[in-house]
Amino acid sequence: MVGVSRNKSAKKIGVLALQGAFASHQKVFHKLSVDAVEVRTPTDLEKVDALVMPGGESTTMSQLLESSQLFDPIKNRLKDGLPVFGTCAGMILLAKNILDGRDDQLSFDAIEIDVQRNAYGRQIDSFEAEIDIDSLDQPFHAVFIRAPRIVSLGSQVQALAYCGDDVVLAQQDNILVASFHPELANDVRLHELFLKGV
Ligand code: GLN
């Protein structure tokens, strides 16, 4: 029985695996010796204590959240304080309001931000920048891919990093969001930060 109880208290991390860059997030957790399981069904969701929503295509993810019947269960877990890290499209899914979204696009309204999809213009659809993050000693290499811009933040939202004038990393209670792709930076520090809060 010793073996059974050994990991009882370990928190289980899930990565929403409907579409997008979920495998890259799993690799980062693997580097941190943390197993991150794929969440595709309500049953998968029940087994996890925290969730990553990856980058990808938020309109597609919105549709898949409905067809997989994951939308409502996730919404309920968010209300109960499920820690979630949303990156890029994942941030769009968690936002209160989406600008330039599809009319039928859903979001969880879990963090009081308005985000504008694909907001950084054509020429710089994708770009990279060194950003300073509160609580990290060294800058973080942030990769922006057709990134959403946070265009307004509510008073409960803490800005944790800027790129130029834009907030690109933000937190409200159990919700952490990044407009860039931390899983592509070959740097585990943001995932580590998320795990600390779990
Ligand atoms: N532009 C994408 C969307 O609206 C997000 C891009 C990304 O996740 N890299 O969903």
Side-chain angles (χ1 to χ4, degrees):
M1 291 312 275
V2 174
V4 175
S5 59
R6 197 163 50 101
N7 267 334
K8 227 177 178 176
S9 61
K11 299 285 185 191
K12 200 153 190 196
I13 309 299
V15 181
L16 186 65
L18 299 174
Q19 189 267 339
F22 56 89
S24 307
H25 278 285
Q26 285 177 295
K27 279 186 197 148
V28 183
F29 285 117
H30 190 69
K31 276 191 197 156
L32 291 166
S33 304
V34 171
D35 196 26
V37 299
E38 291 169 14
V39 172
R40 291 197 176 86
T41 66
T43 314
D44 297 337
L45 180 70
E46 280 169 20
K47 296 178 192 146
V48 303
D49 305 297
L51 187 66
V52 170
M53 294 186 184
E57 183 50 52
S58 60
T59 53
T60 308
M61 281 191 218
S62 166
Q63 287 171 336
L64 293 171
L65 280 164
E66 282 191 286
S67 60
S68 62
Q69 295 184 324
L70 264 173
F71 189 85
D72 290 334
I74 291 179
K75 178 99 183 159
N76 289 334
R77 291 287 307 272
L78 282 164
K79 277 190 202 137
D80 292 342
L82 178 74
V84 179
F85 185 14
T87 62
C88 207
M91 173 174 93
I92 298 172
L93 293 178
L94 290 163
K96 183 177 172 68
N97 291 308
I98 303 171
L99 310 179
D100 296 339
R102 261 175 54 155
D103 288 349
D104 60 351
Q105 183 169 359
L106 300 174
S107 76
F108 290 109
D109 186 7
I111 178 164
E112 217 188 326
I113 54 172
D114 294 350
V115 297
Q116 186 178 8
R117 294 179 60 227
N118 306 324
Y120 287 93
R122 264 242 166 105
Q123 323 81 307
I124 47 167
D125 258 349
S126 301
F127 63 99
E128 304 186 10
E130 302 298 316
I131 58 170
D132 290 320
I133 294 180
D134 283 8
S135 81
L136 298 186
D137 294 343
Q138 302 293 323
F140 194 95
H141 186 75
V143 179
F144 295 83
I145 303 172
R146 292 193 308 119
R149 175 181 267 143
I150 298 178
V151 292
S152 75
L153 293 95
S155 57
Q156 304 303 307
V157 182
Q158 231 187 317
L160 302 181
Y162 287 84
C163 182
D165 290 335
D166 294 333
V167 174
V168 293
L169 182 72
Q171 179 166 17
Q172 181 179 344
D173 304 321
N174 49 317
I175 309 298
L176 179 67
V177 294
S179 50
F180 54 94
H181 281 258
E183 78 285 8
L184 299 181
N186 203 13
D187 188 332
V188 297
R189 290 176 299 161
L190 266 187
H191 289 73
E192 228 165 16
L193 198 75
F194 175 62
L195 289 175
K196 267 190 213 155
V198 171

